[in-house]
DNA sequence: CGCTCGATTGATAGTGATCAATCCGAGTGG
DNA sequence: CCACTCGGATTGATCACTATCAATCGAGCG
């Protein structure tokens, strides 16, 4: 999979305004100027060398993995401020694609590791990235293992609202298929769960944008421990 | 949950002989003399301060988490040579308990971090621990999201055989309930999946020990990507 | 010896996948 | 400008898988 540069103008897509500059990565080392990518662009593919770290500046990225039988699993969605691409062995386990028009900053992994060995603050920052992603993976495992479809969607909406720092209304750029593969459901079941939450007056939907009507109602459906 | 010292003699339990000394941790710093714990002992509880790292020297440890509604999720099993207890925020997200009589070495986390900042080899070792656990979490998410009960058990057996470096026959110290909570199944379904694999002549069972009869047959059931 | 807990097996019900049809919005070409 | 098309979203009907309820069995233990 080649890395062709994208051209879409982001300002016209409605996803501007968030973090316009890379924050996390910049604290760790020299960062390339953010590059623009169109929707559906592959940043890296499964088995590619894992020699860079990336930060979403604007838009959204998903990481996913294909099973031998064609089943797809979406491992995560990344919003502005999130770092992705940290993986072991020098080879990626997942591929990363843009969910919508997206601006991404990147930086050489070996450079960060070199700096981390010299600078205590960089090392701490790097660790906290790793630990944070491990923590999220753990929470997600709990969700996949034991939650019902409606619980999964409720949790997903709360997670997305928090990560996109949206109070009530926010746009979900990814498709129902993406959400399904993230939560281990079929796209039809995702649709039905949205319908259930809408019928219960917990959310309102308008295309791919969602408004949370009863935060507490959603939280009650989210049976994860504190 | 207090940390009462255990007394069970391990030699008499049939789990001796593996790695008799801590290997991984020792490469990172000074390690306490391994301590013995009886089956069912809590090493640390959810919400405890995460100020130590641990290495299983002998036996087995599971990490798990309780949902608000009582549902339990087992996040992982740790065999001799595995490190556990690395978590962010200074507070554990999971609790850790011994699955059977177990010998555990531990070491101060702050000490490791201090050494990692000074010693390149220690830092690399520490990162590879973190990356390895992130990788395993990713593989496990795939399994939880998309595999059937029989596929989950087949994968689980292959994983355990490899991690316990057993060729064909090995003992599974954990209960069916533990396996169920690890794979997101009920204990009955775990039993039935074992029965299916036995009926298909892929494995033989004798109490909690398993013999793999047809490695290829199990692998065919394991639909994860390479 | 009786108790309890874990494992297994059976019967039944519930949840979500699958197959299928329709609907809708955006982009396309006449 | 509008019909056409195509992919995503929604809803319906049915089926398969797994949870749940229940009973039995066996081993370890007091």
């Amino acid at each position: 999979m080649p890395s062709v540069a994208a051209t879409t103008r982001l300002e016209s897509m409605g996803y501007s305004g968030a973090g316009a500059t890379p924050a996390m990565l910049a604290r760790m080392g020299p960062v390339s100027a953010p590059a623009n990518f169109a929707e559906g662009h592959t940043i890296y593919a499964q088995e590619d060398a894992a020699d860079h770290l990336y930060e979403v500046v604007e838009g959204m990225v998903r990481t996913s993995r294909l099973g031998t039988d064609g089943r797809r699993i979406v491992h995560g969605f990344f919003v502005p401020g999130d770092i992705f691409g940290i993986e072991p062995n020098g080879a990626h386990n997942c591929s990363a694609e843009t969910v919508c028009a997206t601006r991404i900053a990147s930086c050489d992994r070996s450079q960060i590791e070199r700096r981390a060995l010299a600078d205590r603050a960089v090392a701490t920052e790097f660790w906290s990235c790793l630990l944070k992603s491990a923590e999220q993976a753990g929470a997600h495992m709990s969700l996949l293992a034991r939650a019902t479809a409606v619980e999964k969607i409720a949790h997903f909406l709360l997670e997305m609202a928090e990560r996109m720092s949206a109070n009530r209304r926010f746009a979900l750029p990814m498709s129902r298929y993406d959400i399904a593969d993230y939560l281990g459901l079929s796209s039809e079941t995702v649709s039905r769960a949205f319908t259930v939450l809408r019928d219960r007056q917990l959310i309102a939907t308008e295309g791919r944008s969602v408004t949370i009507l009863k935060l507490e109602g959603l939280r009650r459906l989210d049976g994860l421990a504190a």
Side-chain angles (χ1 to χ4, degrees), chain A residues 126-149:
Chain A
F126 189 50
W127 290 342
S128 87
C129 274
L130 285 170
L131 289 168
K132 190 176 153 195
S133 71
E135 187 183 17
Q136 287 182 347
H140 198 54
M141 291 197 319
S142 301
L143 195 70
L144 289 172
R146 288 296 181 203
T148 66

Side-chain angles (χ1 to χ4, degrees), chain A residues 83-145:
Chain A
I83 308 276
F84 67 95
I86 313 184
E87 283 176 64
N89 301 332
H92 284 295
N93 295 309
C94 307
S95 64
E97 303 106 29
T98 54
V99 170
C100 56
T102 298
R103 196 133 55 102
I104 296 172
S106 69
C107 128
D108 203 50
R109 175 182 162 149
S110 61
Q111 241 175 25
I112 288 203
E113 293 192 354
R114 210 176 318 129
R115 283 181 55 110
L117 290 167
D119 184 337
R120 177 189 210 96
V122 172
T124 304
E125 195 75 47
F126 189 50
W127 290 342
S128 87
C129 274
L130 285 170
L131 289 168
K132 190 176 153 195
S133 71
E135 187 183 17
Q136 287 182 347
H140 198 54
M141 291 197 319
S142 301
L143 195 70
L144 289 172

Side-chain angles (χ1 to χ4, degrees), chain A residues 1-85:
Chain A
M1 306 282 173
S3 277
V4 184
T7 57
T8 315
R9 272 194 237 110
L10 293 164
E11 310 80 47
S12 61
M13 304 291 290
Y15 294 116
S16 62
T21 56
M24 286 293 280
L25 266 191
R27 266 181 273 154
M28 291 197 270
V31 176
S32 74
N36 291 332
F37 298 97
E39 174 189 334
H41 180 79
T42 299
I43 308 296
Y44 56 79
Q46 232 163 289
E47 307 300 326
D48 275 4
D51 44 11
H52 285 270
L53 295 190
Y54 305 87
E55 176 175 345
V56 178
V57 176
E58 211 176 311
M60 183 175 281
V61 167
R62 72 168 171 263
T63 54
S64 64
R65 206 175 144 77
L66 285 176
T68 49
D69 51 2
R71 291 179 289 199
R72 188 182 69 153
I73 289 93
V74 170
H75 281 224
F77 295 107
F78 299 87
V79 301
D82 289 344
I83 308 276
F84 67 95

